[in-house]
Amino acid sequence: MTPDIGADPQKEFHDRISARNLAALWVARRGVDISKPKSPAVAALWRYDDIRGDIAEAGDIVSAEDAFRRVLVLENPAYPGEMRITNTLYAGLQLVKPGEIAPCHRHSQTALRFVVEGDGAYTTVEGERVRLSQGDFVITRNWSWHDHGNDSDGDVIWLDGLDTPLVDFLDTVFRDFYPEQAHPLTRPEGDAAARYGTGMLPMGFEAESIYSPMLRYPYAPARAALDKMRRAKSGWDECHGLKMRYINPASGDDAMPTMAAFLQFMPKDFSGATYRSTDGAVYCVTEGSGRCIVDGETFEWGPRDVFVVPGWHEYRLEADADSVLFSYSDQPVQQKLGLWREMRGA
Ligand code: 1HN
């Protein structure tokens, strides 16, 4: 509370000039602490068991076609109605039931998928069909045509991660509908993986895009790599365990320009050191159980749970069983702008 010192001519000046769309910086910023980030976003966790029934109910009351995308959006409790999980990122759980098609469109936002439950759905990206199996990480470049389907006999649910709040903020939203429900298949399935996913590149390869030319990063080899690495003494991080970044194999950069994605392994009884970074992260548990302690508050997680840690909130991770976490954040944006920072220890 500022003490009541009677009329404040500077404040009066500040208020008076607002009629001319002016503000006095030294008055407006008085007492505001900008020594470090204080995101209004809060840490939160969605227990899969608590919300699986809501996802099933969404499946009963609307078709994928009518909903266009049948998604339950994971909203940060600090931002009700704003369709965002951090200041810059969106997260949602999308259900595609057997036989359904989520119609084709494209937009200037970038999307990632991380498959949480089920096998046998697909997404078609620019004419290449991409299989979606549990634990697979799939990227959808911005302005690429995409539709989803499920030709298996079970429900498939995946986590959608998008940069929509960031793209909204920049006033750069464009969207376009394809004239048909599904894009024609113009490339064989597995084409991108064959060209770019074997440690080789076609001779004369020149990047056409700032995105990874890969579409799908399957779970099995990523999981096997973590399992192999756990036997090595090196490569461990005191905060994160073994943490791998999904990359563009042609550049070594993040797979997408606006979002980084990671897969990390923590052994049973892992107790991570305290960590914070300016990028808020969304985590999805693929295996194991444990907890995330954020600013002293404990969030217990198990398979398929999703939790969010906003930027510059102090947190640490503990695992009760061998555990694997997928996560994504806006780290590449912050790094390219020279803004990203991290801090280890309290
Ligand atoms: C979108 O295109 C999808 O294609 C999912 O599956 C969620 C949220 C906001 C904007 C576009 C999809 C979305 C989205």
Side-chain angles (χ1 to χ4, degrees):
M1 281 279 285
T2 30
D4 185 5
I5 50 163
D8 176 347
Q10 297 195 356
K11 173 80 167 50
E12 188 275 327
F13 170 73
H14 169 84
D15 294 347
R16 181 158 41 83
I17 63 175
S18 71
R20 285 182 289 284
N21 302 318
L22 294 170
L25 176 63
W26 75 97
V27 179
R29 279 292 173 91
R30 203 184 274 165
V32 179
D33 177 11
I34 52 165
S35 61
K36 52 183 173 306
K38 289 186 189 65
S39 174
V42 296
L45 180 137
W46 290 261
R47 279 192 64 231
Y48 197 71
D49 288 347
D50 290 343
I51 58 175
R52 182 63 179 86
D54 298 323
I55 299 171
E57 197 176 332
D60 293 336
I61 63 174
V62 72
S63 68
E65 198 187 323
D66 284 346
F68 201 82
R69 296 294 185 261
R70 189 202 288 113
V71 179
L72 296 189
V73 181
L74 306 178
E75 289 193 316
N76 194 286
Y79 303 136
E82 292 188 29
M83 304 280 151
R84 56 191 172 135
I85 191 162
T86 69
N87 281 22
T88 56
L89 299 173
Y90 161 105
L93 287 165
Q94 177 157 184
L95 165 66
V96 183
K97 299 212 289 188
E100 288 188 325
I101 289 183
C104 189
H105 73 164
R106 64 180 175 180
H107 41 70
S108 52
Q109 299 99 336
T110 296
L112 67 83
R113 329 275 170 205
F114 186 76
V115 186
V116 174
E117 181 186 324
D119 287 297
Y122 62 84
T123 180
T124 302
V125 179
E126 286 289 322
E128 180 172 337
R129 187 162 279 192
V130 187
R131 289 278 141 202
L132 298 167
S133 298
Q134 253 187 81
D136 289 355
F137 163 63
V138 171
I139 67 167
T140 309
R141 292 188 275 268
N142 71 357
W143 211 242
S144 61
W145 292 114
H146 55 283
D147 53 83
H148 318 305
N150 181 351
D151 51 17
S152 77
D153 52 15
D155 289 353
V156 177
I157 296 168
W158 64 76
L159 177 70
D160 285 314
L162 287 95
D163 55 7
T164 45
L166 177 67
V167 177
D168 281 344
F169 183 72
L170 297 171
D171 267 338
T172 48
V173 178
F174 292 89
R175 188 180 62 179
D176 201 2
F177 294 103
Y178 197 73
E180 289 153 51
Q181 285 234 317
H183 196 283
L185 302 179
T186 53
R187 277 186 267 256
E189 199 172 311
D191 191 62
R195 286 173 199 273
Y196 315 113
T198 63
M200 300 185 283
L201 286 176
M203 214 172 74
F205 170 82
E206 277 183 42
E208 289 168 13
S209 142
I210 53 175
Y211 288 80
S212 169
M214 296 285 287
L215 301 174
R216 170 176 182 246
Y217 296 76
Y219 189 62
R223 182 68 184 90
L226 290 170
D227 215 40
K228 182 71 79 175
M229 285 167 62
R230 73 178 297 186
R231 280 169 251 163
K233 293 266 181 292
S234 64
W236 292 90
D237 183 286
E238 56 165 356
C239 304
H240 309 297
L242 291 171
K243 191 164 180 176
M244 303 281 271
R245 178 193 291 268
Y246 291 95
I247 61 148
N248 173 346
S251 68
D253 217 343
D254 289 289
M256 300 164 288
T258 53
M259 293 184 284
F262 306 90
L263 196 69
Q264 83 192 77
F265 172 82
M266 295 175 295
K268 180 173 165 15
D269 298 327
F270 178 81
S271 178
T274 301
Y275 183 78
R276 61 172 75 193
S277 61
T278 48
D279 55 321
V282 180
Y283 284 89
C284 180
V285 183
T286 70
E287 294 175 34
S289 61
R291 63 201 56 77
C292 179
I293 302 107
V294 192
D295 296 326
E297 192 180 349
T298 299
F299 297 88
E300 300 281 344
W301 45 258
R304 296 171 170 157
D305 293 349
V306 178
F307 61 94
V308 58
V309 183
W312 216 245
H313 285 240
E314 183 182 285
Y315 73 105
R316 60 192 183 83
L317 291 163
E318 291 179 355
D320 296 336
D322 284 358
S323 298
V324 180
L325 301 181
F326 169 81
S327 61
Y328 66 97
S329 83
D330 65 3
Q331 197 181 113
V333 178
Q334 298 198 11
Q335 285 177 331
K336 285 192 180 80
L337 299 179
L339 296 169
W340 185 75
R341 290 195 201 189
E342 64 177 344
M343 195 167 112
R344 280 147 201 278

